[in-house]
Short mmCIF file of all heavy atoms in Angstrom, two decimals:
data_model
loop_
_atom_site.label_atom_id
_atom_site.label_comp_id
_atom_site.label_asym_id
_atom_site.label_seq_id
_atom_site.Cartn_x
_atom_site.Cartn_y
_atom_site.Cartn_z
N ASP A 14 289.79 207.64 -77.40
CA ASP A 14 289.20 207.46 -76.07
C ASP A 14 290.26 207.10 -75.04
O ASP A 14 290.28 207.65 -73.93
CB ASP A 14 288.13 206.35 -76.10
CG ASP A 14 286.85 206.78 -76.80
OD1 ASP A 14 286.68 207.99 -77.06
OD2 ASP A 14 286.02 205.90 -77.09
N VAL A 15 291.15 206.19 -75.39
CA VAL A 15 292.20 205.76 -74.46
C VAL A 15 293.11 206.94 -74.10
O VAL A 15 293.42 207.16 -72.93
CB VAL A 15 293.02 204.59 -75.05
CG1 VAL A 15 294.27 204.31 -74.22
CG2 VAL A 15 292.16 203.34 -75.14
N ILE A 16 293.51 207.72 -75.09
CA ILE A 16 294.39 208.87 -74.84
C ILE A 16 293.67 209.91 -73.98
O ILE A 16 294.25 210.43 -73.02
CB ILE A 16 294.89 209.49 -76.16
CG1 ILE A 16 295.80 208.50 -76.89
CG2 ILE A 16 295.62 210.80 -75.91
CD1 ILE A 16 296.09 208.88 -78.34
N ALA A 17 292.44 210.23 -74.33
CA ALA A 17 291.68 211.23 -73.56
C ALA A 17 291.49 210.78 -72.12
O ALA A 17 291.66 211.57 -71.18
CB ALA A 17 290.34 211.51 -74.23
N MET A 18 291.12 209.51 -71.94
CA MET A 18 290.93 208.99 -70.58
C MET A 18 292.23 209.02 -69.79
O MET A 18 292.26 209.44 -68.63
CB MET A 18 290.40 207.55 -70.63
CG MET A 18 288.99 207.44 -71.16
SD MET A 18 287.83 208.27 -70.11
CE MET A 18 287.79 207.13 -68.76
N ALA A 19 293.31 208.57 -70.38
CA ALA A 19 294.60 208.54 -69.70
C ALA A 19 295.02 209.95 -69.30
O ALA A 19 295.57 210.17 -68.22
CB ALA A 19 295.66 207.90 -70.59
N THR A 20 294.75 210.91 -70.17
CA THR A 20 295.12 212.30 -69.87
C THR A 20 294.28 212.86 -68.74
O THR A 20 294.80 213.52 -67.83
CB THR A 20 295.00 213.17 -71.13
OG1 THR A 20 295.74 212.55 -72.19
CG2 THR A 20 295.53 214.57 -70.89
N LEU A 21 292.99 212.59 -68.76
CA LEU A 21 292.11 213.06 -67.68
C LEU A 21 292.48 212.43 -66.34
O LEU A 21 292.27 213.02 -65.29
CB LEU A 21 290.64 212.77 -68.01
CG LEU A 21 290.01 213.70 -69.03
CD1 LEU A 21 288.64 213.20 -69.45
CD2 LEU A 21 289.92 215.12 -68.49
N GLN A 22 293.05 211.24 -66.38
CA GLN A 22 293.46 210.55 -65.16
C GLN A 22 294.94 210.81 -64.83
O GLN A 22 295.53 210.13 -64.01
CB GLN A 22 293.22 209.04 -65.30
CG GLN A 22 291.75 208.71 -65.43
CD GLN A 22 291.50 207.26 -65.81
OE1 GLN A 22 292.42 206.48 -66.03
NE2 GLN A 22 290.24 206.89 -65.87
N ASP A 23 295.52 211.81 -65.49
CA ASP A 23 296.91 212.22 -65.28
C ASP A 23 297.92 211.10 -65.53
O ASP A 23 298.97 211.05 -64.90
CB ASP A 23 297.09 212.81 -63.88
CG ASP A 23 296.26 214.07 -63.66
OD1 ASP A 23 296.14 214.86 -64.62
OD2 ASP A 23 295.72 214.25 -62.55
N GLN A 24 297.60 210.20 -66.46
CA GLN A 24 298.53 209.14 -66.83
C GLN A 24 299.29 209.51 -68.11
O GLN A 24 300.19 208.79 -68.52
CB GLN A 24 297.76 207.84 -67.06
CG GLN A 24 297.09 207.32 -65.81
CD GLN A 24 296.17 206.15 -66.11
OE1 GLN A 24 296.02 205.74 -67.25
NE2 GLN A 24 295.56 205.61 -65.07
N CYS A 25 298.91 210.61 -68.73
CA CYS A 25 299.55 211.08 -69.96
C CYS A 25 299.64 212.60 -69.85
O CYS A 25 298.66 213.24 -69.43
CB CYS A 25 298.70 210.67 -71.17
SG CYS A 25 299.31 211.23 -72.78
N ASP A 26 300.80 213.17 -70.15
CA ASP A 26 300.88 214.63 -70.00
C ASP A 26 300.13 215.34 -71.13
O ASP A 26 299.88 214.78 -72.18
CB ASP A 26 302.31 215.12 -69.83
CG ASP A 26 303.17 215.01 -71.07
OD1 ASP A 26 302.66 215.25 -72.17
OD2 ASP A 26 304.37 214.71 -70.93
N LEU A 27 299.77 216.58 -70.86
CA LEU A 27 298.92 217.34 -71.78
C LEU A 27 299.55 217.53 -73.16
O LEU A 27 298.87 217.43 -74.17
CB LEU A 27 298.56 218.69 -71.16
CG LEU A 27 297.73 218.64 -69.88
CD1 LEU A 27 297.52 220.05 -69.34
CD2 LEU A 27 296.41 217.95 -70.10
N SER A 28 300.85 217.79 -73.19
CA SER A 28 301.52 218.03 -74.47
C SER A 28 301.50 216.77 -75.33
O SER A 28 301.22 216.83 -76.54
CB SER A 28 302.96 218.47 -74.26
OG SER A 28 302.99 219.73 -73.62
N GLU A 29 301.81 215.65 -74.72
CA GLU A 29 301.80 214.39 -75.48
C GLU A 29 300.40 214.08 -75.99
O GLU A 29 300.22 213.66 -77.13
CB GLU A 29 302.32 213.25 -74.58
CG GLU A 29 302.54 211.96 -75.32
CD GLU A 29 303.67 212.02 -76.35
OE1 GLU A 29 304.59 212.84 -76.21
OE2 GLU A 29 303.61 211.22 -77.30
N ALA A 30 299.40 214.33 -75.16
CA ALA A 30 298.01 214.10 -75.57
C ALA A 30 297.63 215.01 -76.72
O ALA A 30 296.99 214.58 -77.69
CB ALA A 30 297.07 214.31 -74.39
N ALA A 31 298.03 216.28 -76.64
CA ALA A 31 297.69 217.23 -77.70
C ALA A 31 298.28 216.79 -79.04
O ALA A 31 297.61 216.83 -80.07
CB ALA A 31 298.19 218.64 -77.33
N ILE A 32 299.52 216.33 -79.01
CA ILE A 32 300.18 215.87 -80.24
C ILE A 32 299.48 214.62 -80.78
O ILE A 32 299.11 214.54 -81.95
CB ILE A 32 301.68 215.59 -80.00
CG1 ILE A 32 302.42 216.90 -79.74
CG2 ILE A 32 302.29 214.84 -81.17
CD1 ILE A 32 303.83 216.72 -79.22
N ARG A 33 299.30 213.64 -79.91
CA ARG A 33 298.72 212.37 -80.34
C ARG A 33 297.28 212.54 -80.83
O ARG A 33 296.90 211.98 -81.86
CB ARG A 33 298.77 211.34 -79.21
CG ARG A 33 300.16 210.84 -78.94
CD ARG A 33 300.18 209.88 -77.76
NE ARG A 33 301.53 209.50 -77.45
CZ ARG A 33 302.08 208.35 -77.83
NH1 ARG A 33 301.38 207.48 -78.52
NH2 ARG A 33 303.33 208.06 -77.50
N LEU A 34 296.49 213.30 -80.08
CA LEU A 34 295.08 213.49 -80.49
C LEU A 34 294.98 214.21 -81.82
O LEU A 34 294.17 213.84 -82.67
CB LEU A 34 294.30 214.23 -79.40
CG LEU A 34 294.03 213.41 -78.14
CD1 LEU A 34 293.46 214.30 -77.04
CD2 LEU A 34 293.10 212.25 -78.43
N PHE A 35 295.79 215.24 -82.01
CA PHE A 35 295.74 215.95 -83.29
C PHE A 35 296.10 215.02 -84.43
O PHE A 35 295.41 214.97 -85.45
CB PHE A 35 296.67 217.18 -83.28
CG PHE A 35 296.70 217.88 -84.60
CD1 PHE A 35 295.66 218.73 -84.97
CD2 PHE A 35 297.73 217.68 -85.50
CE1 PHE A 35 295.67 219.37 -86.21
CE2 PHE A 35 297.75 218.31 -86.74
CZ PHE A 35 296.72 219.16 -87.09
N MET A 36 297.20 214.27 -84.26
CA MET A 36 297.67 213.40 -85.34
C MET A 36 296.66 212.29 -85.64
O MET A 36 296.44 211.96 -86.79
CB MET A 36 299.03 212.79 -84.97
CG MET A 36 300.12 213.83 -84.75
SD MET A 36 300.37 214.93 -86.15
CE MET A 36 301.34 213.90 -87.20
N ILE A 37 296.05 211.74 -84.61
CA ILE A 37 295.10 210.64 -84.81
C ILE A 37 293.78 211.15 -85.37
O ILE A 37 293.23 210.60 -86.33
CB ILE A 37 294.88 209.87 -83.50
CG1 ILE A 37 296.16 209.13 -83.08
CG2 ILE A 37 293.73 208.87 -83.63
CD1 ILE A 37 296.10 208.52 -81.71
N MET A 38 293.24 212.20 -84.77
CA MET A 38 291.93 212.69 -85.18
C MET A 38 291.95 213.29 -86.58
O MET A 38 290.91 213.38 -87.23
CB MET A 38 291.38 213.69 -84.16
CG MET A 38 291.03 213.01 -82.83
SD MET A 38 290.36 214.14 -81.60
CE MET A 38 288.67 214.26 -82.18
N ASP A 39 293.13 213.65 -87.05
CA ASP A 39 293.25 214.17 -88.41
C ASP A 39 292.90 213.11 -89.46
O ASP A 39 292.63 213.43 -90.60
CB ASP A 39 294.67 214.70 -88.63
CG ASP A 39 294.80 215.50 -89.92
OD1 ASP A 39 293.91 216.34 -90.18
OD2 ASP A 39 295.78 215.28 -90.66
N HIS A 40 292.88 211.85 -89.04
CA HIS A 40 292.60 210.76 -89.98
C HIS A 40 291.15 210.29 -89.96
O HIS A 40 290.80 209.36 -90.69
CB HIS A 40 293.53 209.57 -89.69
CG HIS A 40 294.97 209.89 -89.96
ND1 HIS A 40 295.49 209.96 -91.23
CD2 HIS A 40 295.99 210.21 -89.13
CE1 HIS A 40 296.77 210.29 -91.17
NE2 HIS A 40 297.10 210.45 -89.90
#
């Protein structure tokens, strides 16, 4: 939730979000 929100608010770039979300959601 924190990563998705930060990305939607342009506080996290899309590539970093894609990497982090994939790695986290895989668990």
Side-chain angles (χ1 to χ4, degrees):
D14 287 347
V15 169
I16 294 167
M18 292 297 287
T20 307
L21 284 171
Q22 295 170 357
D23 297 323
Q24 296 171 359
C25 178
D26 70 38
L27 297 177
S28 295
E29 188 67 25
I32 291 169
R33 288 177 185 260
L34 289 171
F35 177 78
M36 299 304 281
I37 293 172
M38 291 181 79
D39 191 45
H40 294 284

